[in-house]
Amino acid sequence: MQELTDAPLAPLTTFRLGGPATRLRTATTDDEVIAAVREADAAGTPLLVIGGGSNLVIGDKGFEGTALRIATRGFTLDGTDLTLAAGENWSDAVARTVEAGLAGIECLAGIPGSAGATPIQNVGAYGQEVSSTITEVVAYDRIAGESVTLSNAECAFSYRHSRFKEHPDRFVVLRVRFALEDAGGLSAPIKYAETARTLGVEAGDRVPAADARETVLKLRAGKGMVLDPDDHDTWSAGSFFTNPVLTEAAYADFLARVHERLGADVTPPAFPAGEGRVKTSAAWLIDRAGFTKGYGDGPARISTKHTLALTNRGEATTEDLLALAREVRDGVRAAFGVTLVNEPVTVGVTL
């Protein structure tokens, strides 16, 4: 297992931000992952697990402890059953399932990061979430001191949340298993309105899975959501804030604030989010609060392509990024009474 001391962590994140770790270990097998975790736990050493680094905001002072980079590999397809090692590149894995003519994760194309991170965040985009296809997650349970297999129900998935996110210091994901669909090369039913409109079909229609994937990649690229080292709009963690889910009473208060500020004829986006709950759009809130594309005059700014992405323009520090995030969060709360919640995980800092 490779080991470095005083190791830079910024290059391991899509923000390209953060100070060094006391020690950085890179594990290429499940056994190495487990050994590194056990060693850190036995010594009482703080542990930071890093996959693709696409959902991390690391403080400028870095991390005092062991950073464990999971670089395991494994892509196994048995009929429609897919097993991915935690270190597998997610976007590449999606492409391979589409090439195999299978449906279920084709609209999650282009999402940066590793397969092991997908159940933690219940990754979702363009009408799909991994929770709809994940059957099991194999993880190392740091409390039990052994590998465990959790069913879909035991993962406790919800919007951008899971049991793994609820207990971040307990489980280290090793493998993820999915049940995909053989629809004769067609996609799952298209659920997202923008995707359906771009494809020229109705919501609920199926299209060739390859067409769905390519369309999503184009949509994501247009918003700066496909990694490109030469494009600072992609030096981000994708969507920085989650879409707020409000009670009906809270939504009514929010709607009154919208009408007071923007006019009685303005209606914000609203989507059912379970009994008595309504989801609205964080991007809409940010834009209507005055934080438009490209907002900012410092080294950290809102993306020129998408208001939900906060970006490093090349010379930013983590504190620059957090200052912008706080300004946006506080501005939205002042304007609409809704508090945005950050989607990326913060390490050594708080919003």
Side-chain angles (χ1 to χ4, degrees):
M1 185 167 14
Q2 184 188 67
E3 183 174 316
L4 300 172
T5 57
D6 195 27
L9 295 181
L12 302 182
T13 74
T14 52
F15 265 125
R16 295 168 172 80
L17 294 176
T22 306
R23 180 169 66 165
L24 171 64
R25 307 187 78 182
T26 298
T28 58
T29 68
D30 288 354
D31 286 345
E32 288 184 350
V33 172
I34 292 170
V37 174
R38 283 177 170 166
E39 181 180 319
D41 288 348
T45 302
L47 180 70
L48 172 63
V49 178
I50 300 177
S54 61
N55 203 44
L56 280 179
V57 177
I58 299 174
D60 293 316
K61 292 183 179 180
F63 183 72
E64 292 187 11
T66 296
L68 173 61
R69 178 171 171 260
I70 297 183
T72 54
R73 293 292 179 265
F75 178 105
T76 304
L77 197 56
D78 182 8
T80 57
D81 294 330
L82 171 67
T83 300
L84 296 177
E88 278 289 327
N89 179 282
W90 173 252
S91 190
D92 290 348
V94 172
R96 292 176 69 178
T97 66
V98 171
E99 289 171 2
L102 299 178
I105 57 175
E106 64 280 357
C107 291
L108 302 178
I111 294 177
S114 61
T118 60
I120 297 172
Q121 190 75 3
N122 186 16
V123 163
Y126 294 95
Q128 290 182 343
E129 287 183 330
V130 292
S131 58
S132 66
T133 52
I134 287 177
T135 56
E136 293 180 335
V137 175
V138 180
Y140 178 70
D141 185 338
R142 296 169 67 184
I143 292 178
E146 62 184 11
S147 295
V148 295
T149 299
L150 288 82
S151 68
N152 182 290
E154 290 171 322
C155 293
F157 290 121
S158 59
Y159 173 64
R160 301 297 174 270
H161 202 69
S162 69
R163 184 178 181 183
F164 309 105
K165 192 172 182 179
E166 183 72 21
H167 304 284
D169 296 325
R170 178 168 182 178
F171 298 102
V172 178
V173 175
L174 301 173
R175 299 190 172 267
V176 189
R177 297 185 177 124
F178 303 81
L180 303 179
E181 179 187 6
D182 185 350
L186 296 180
S187 69
I190 301 297
K191 296 181 179 179
Y192 199 69
E194 184 182 21
T195 313
R197 185 168 58 250
T198 304
L199 285 162
V201 300
E202 297 294 325
D205 288 349
R206 294 178 184 263
V207 300
D211 290 354
R213 174 179 174 272
E214 286 302 318
T215 296
V216 166
L217 286 173
K218 289 177 182 178
L219 289 171
R220 290 185 65 86
K223 299 172 184 177
M225 298 290 185
V226 177
L227 292 181
D228 179 349
D230 297 323
D231 182 359
H232 285 292
D233 277 334
T234 73
W235 289 33
S236 75
S239 299
F240 194 88
F241 297 104
T242 59
N243 289 323
V245 177
L246 309 174
T247 64
E248 290 181 348
Y251 183 78
D253 291 341
F254 161 57
L255 192 58
R257 296 279 288 265
V258 170
H259 291 163
E260 179 183 354
R261 180 182 177 91
L262 303 176
D265 59 337
V266 176
T267 302
F271 310 94
E275 186 175 353
R277 299 170 74 82
V278 181
K279 181 167 67 176
T280 191
S281 166
W284 189 94
L285 286 164
I286 292 167
D287 183 73
R288 297 310 191 278
F291 303 101
T292 54
K293 295 174 184 177
Y295 178 87
D297 55 9
R301 303 177 198 173
I302 291 178
S303 165
T304 66
K305 300 182 179 71
H306 200 298
T307 51
L308 259 185
L310 308 187
T311 67
N312 171 11
R313 307 317 291 184
E315 301 296 331
T317 64
T318 301
E319 281 306 311
D320 293 328
L321 174 75
L322 293 175
L324 175 63
R326 292 175 187 128
E327 182 183 2
V328 171
R329 179 199 60 192
D330 295 347
V332 167
R333 183 167 52 207
F336 298 113
V338 176
T339 301
L340 296 178
V341 176
N342 53 291
E343 186 167 330
V345 175
T346 55
V347 178
V349 290
T350 58
L351 189 57

